[in-house]
Amino acid sequence: MLACVEMSFSVSGFSFGSSPAVAATSSKPTSSTEVGTKEPFNIFATTFSSLDQANKPSFTAPTVKELVGDKQKNTDSTKASGGFRFGTVALPATATALGAKNALKKVSSTEQRAAKPFASMGQAMLESQWRDVEWTEEQKTSLMKSVSSYRPSCEGVTQARVLLLGPVSSGKSSFVSSVQSVFNGRVTNRAMVGSSATSFTKKLQSFNIRGEKQEDPTRLVLCDVMGLGNGEMTGLTLHDILSVIKGHVPEGHKFSPDQPVRSETVGYVKRPSLKDRIHCVAFVVDASKILTYPKGLRTTFQQLREHISDLGVHQVALLTHIDQICPETAKDVTQVYKSCAVQNTMDGAGALLGMSTSYIVPVKNYSSELDLDVNTDVLLLSAVDHILQYADLYFQDNTPQCTGSMTYKDIDL
C-alpha cells in the first residue's frame, strides 16, 4: 500500500508534519476530559508539546517579512492579533538560517514553495481510505435520518446550538447553506456569502436547519457570526465571542470591535438558561490557507480554546476548501480520505488549532454547483453527525442543570 510521505514544515512561525497514525484515529468522542473541559490548559499544553516533539521541522520556509529585516518583522507581530484585543507571542525568525547574504536571493522560490506546499504531492493517493466512509445513497439516507431524529439528552433543551467560528472567508456561511441544501434536496444559499477580505457576516444569525421537505425542523441550530479578522478593528473580539457562548448576546446583534457587548446592550440576556447558550463550537479553517494564515492566529486559537474549554464547551473543527488542495478530490470527493495532501493539511490544521486530528473533519461546501452530489452530501452530513456527538457531550457534562437540580446562582457565568 502506498503511504503518504511524512513531511514537516515550519511556516509562519510554527511547525507541523504528517502523522498517518494520528489522522486515522476514530472521530468518535471518547471522554469529556480529552477535549480539555476539566483541565483545558494542561490538555492544550500536552497537545502542543507532543506535536512539537514528534514533528521537528526538517524544512524551514522563511517568509518575505522574515527576510527583509527586524523593522518589518516587528511590525508584523503586532498586527497579527487575529482580531482580538490581546497580544501575540513573539516567534523566532528563520532568515539567519540561510545567511544574510543569500537570503534575499532565495525569496522568490521560497515564497512559491510556501504558497503551494503540497504542489509536488497533490496527486499522491493511498490505495485505501484512512477513515472508513461509505459513499452510497443508503449512507446518505441513514445520516439524514440520524440528524433528523437527534434530540438533546437534556430535559428542557430542545435544540443543540453550534457556533461556527473561524477567519474571514473560511466557509462558515457556506457550510450553513450547504447543510440546508442537503435537506432541501437542491442547492440553496440560505446564509448570505461574501467574497471580500472583510467579514460579510456582521451580526449573530441562528439558522435552524429544516428537515426534509421543509417539514419539522431538525434539532440543530447553526450560529453564524462575524469572522476573525487580521486586526483588532476588523474582526470579532474575544469578549464578544465568550458573550455569545454564554448566551448573553441577542439574536441579530450587530458586532462592532469598538462597541463590545455589555449589560446595557439592547436585548442583552442577563440570565441566560442552558437552552440559550452555545453547546458546541466548530472552528472553520480554509485548507488552502493553512500555511499562509497570519502568525498570530495560532496564539488566537490557543487563547480561544482555553477560554472556551473553561466554560465546559467541546470543540471540533471543519477543514473547508479541500478541493482546492487536491486535484483528485476536486474531481471525485470520495478520494478525500485517500489524499495525502488532505491528510497532511489536516495535520497542519491540528497544529494551528492545537487539537488532535480526530476532532477535525474535511468538508466540501457547495459553491458554484447547481445540483446536489450524493458524495458531497455524505461528507457534509458526516460532519454534522460529528458535531452533534460533541454537542451531546455538553449535555451529559451538565446533567445537574438538565435535571433542574441547580439554580442560577450555582452557574458560573
Side-chain angles (χ1 to χ4, degrees):
M1 180 186 296
L2 177 66
C4 290
V5 178
E6 184 167 350
M7 304 184 71
S8 182
F9 300 91
S10 178
V11 182
S12 293
F14 62 89
S15 63
F16 63 86
S18 64
S19 303
V22 176
T25 305
S26 171
S27 62
K28 303 290 184 182
T30 51
S31 66
S32 61
T33 54
E34 284 191 67
V35 189
T37 60
K38 303 296 182 182
E39 298 178 90
F41 184 79
N42 292 335
I43 294 297
F44 182 83
T46 302
T47 302
F48 271 91
S49 177
S50 61
L51 282 169
D52 293 340
Q53 292 297 323
N55 299 305
K56 294 181 179 180
S58 57
F59 169 74
T60 300
T63 64
V64 179
K65 292 187 176 74
E66 289 172 325
L67 298 174
V68 297
D70 289 337
K71 180 177 180 181
Q72 209 162 2
K73 286 187 295 181
N74 292 339
T75 302
D76 208 35
S77 66
T78 60
K79 289 183 178 179
S81 62
F84 290 166
R85 301 174 186 275
F86 41 69
T88 60
V89 178
L91 299 171
T94 57
T96 54
L98 294 174
K101 185 174 181 179
N102 298 324
L104 292 176
K105 296 180 181 180
K106 301 184 179 182
V107 170
S108 178
S109 59
T110 303
E111 267 197 316
Q112 292 175 4
R113 289 196 301 272
K116 298 183 179 180
F118 301 117
S120 61
M121 58 174 294
Q123 303 203 24
M125 306 297 289
L126 299 174
E127 292 180 5
S128 59
Q129 299 183 111
W130 42 275
R131 280 184 184 169
D132 292 330
V133 177
E134 294 181 17
W135 306 98
T136 63
E137 187 71 46
E138 291 74 20
Q139 177 67 0
K140 172 185 173 180
T141 301
S142 175
L143 286 167
M144 288 185 73
K145 288 182 177 178
S146 177
V147 173
S148 298
S149 62
Y150 169 79
R151 298 292 183 272
S153 57
C154 183
E155 183 181 344
V157 178
T158 60
Q159 299 173 320
R161 292 174 56 80
V162 178
L163 176 63
L164 302 177
L165 200 59
V168 174
S169 300
S170 58
K172 301 183 298 298
S173 300
S174 294
F175 179 72
V176 174
S177 293
S178 296
V179 172
Q180 186 61 78
S181 294
V182 176
F183 284 95
N184 283 351
R186 59 188 177 86
V187 177
T188 57
N189 292 312
R190 186 175 178 189
M192 297 183 69
V193 179
S195 59
S196 64
T198 58
S199 182
F200 187 82
T201 302
K202 302 292 185 182
K203 58 185 180 180
L204 172 62
Q205 294 179 290
S206 300
F207 296 92
N208 192 338
I209 303 303
R210 308 291 299 181
E212 294 183 80
K213 300 179 181 178
Q214 297 299 297
E215 296 174 354
D216 293 338
T218 68
R219 301 306 172 98
L220 170 66
V221 176
L222 296 177
C223 302
D224 194 12
V225 293
M226 190 177 189
L228 308 180
N230 293 326
E232 66 176 29
M233 295 307 292
T234 60
L236 203 59
T237 64
L238 174 64
H239 170 82
D240 284 356
I241 290 173
L242 297 180
S243 295
V244 171
I245 294 174
K246 293 176 181 179
H248 293 300
V249 182
E251 178 68 17
H253 172 77
K254 188 173 183 179
F255 296 99
S256 177
D258 58 348
Q259 294 181 353
V261 175
R262 302 182 184 278
S263 58
E264 297 80 16
T265 298
V266 177
Y268 183 86
V269 182
K270 293 183 178 180
R271 295 191 174 187
S273 63
L274 196 63
K275 65 181 179 61
D276 298 318
R277 301 181 212 168
I278 293 298
H279 309 125
C280 178
V281 171
F283 291 107
V284 184
V285 290
D286 185 341
S288 68
K289 298 178 180 178
I290 290 298
L291 299 186
T292 58
Y293 275 132
K295 292 181 183 180
L297 194 57
R298 179 181 177 178
T299 302
T300 294
F301 280 127
Q302 176 182 355
Q303 297 192 21
L304 261 176
R305 295 201 66 230
E306 289 175 0
H307 283 86
I308 294 172
S309 293
D310 283 342
L311 297 175
V313 178
H314 296 269
Q315 302 129 60
V316 297
L318 306 176
L319 185 68
T320 61
H321 299 115
I322 54 171
D323 51 317
Q324 295 183 20
I325 63 169
C326 176
E328 293 302 315
T329 300
K331 291 185 292 184
D332 181 3
V333 76
T334 66
Q335 301 301 302
V336 60
Y337 286 123
K338 292 182 180 180
S339 169
C340 288
V342 173
Q343 190 179 48
N344 279 291
T345 305
M346 283 185 65
D347 287 321
L352 175 68
L353 295 164
M355 62 170 58
S356 166
T357 52
S358 62
Y359 300 120
I360 306 173
V361 289
V363 296
K364 179 184 181 298
N365 292 328
Y366 286 110
S367 54
S368 60
E369 300 86 350
L370 296 178
D371 300 309
L372 296 180
D373 170 69
V374 62
N375 297 320
T376 300
D377 292 349
V378 167
L379 199 61
L380 286 164
L381 290 168
S382 297
V384 173
D385 185 63
H386 179 76
I387 290 171
L388 288 176
Q389 291 174 33
Y390 284 95
D392 211 58
L393 283 180
Y394 177 86
F395 298 125
Q396 295 176 31
D397 295 342
N398 289 273
T399 300
Q401 297 179 49
C402 290
T403 57
S405 60
M406 291 185 70
T407 64
Y408 172 76
K409 293 181 179 179
D410 295 320
I411 303 172
D412 180 16
L413 297 177

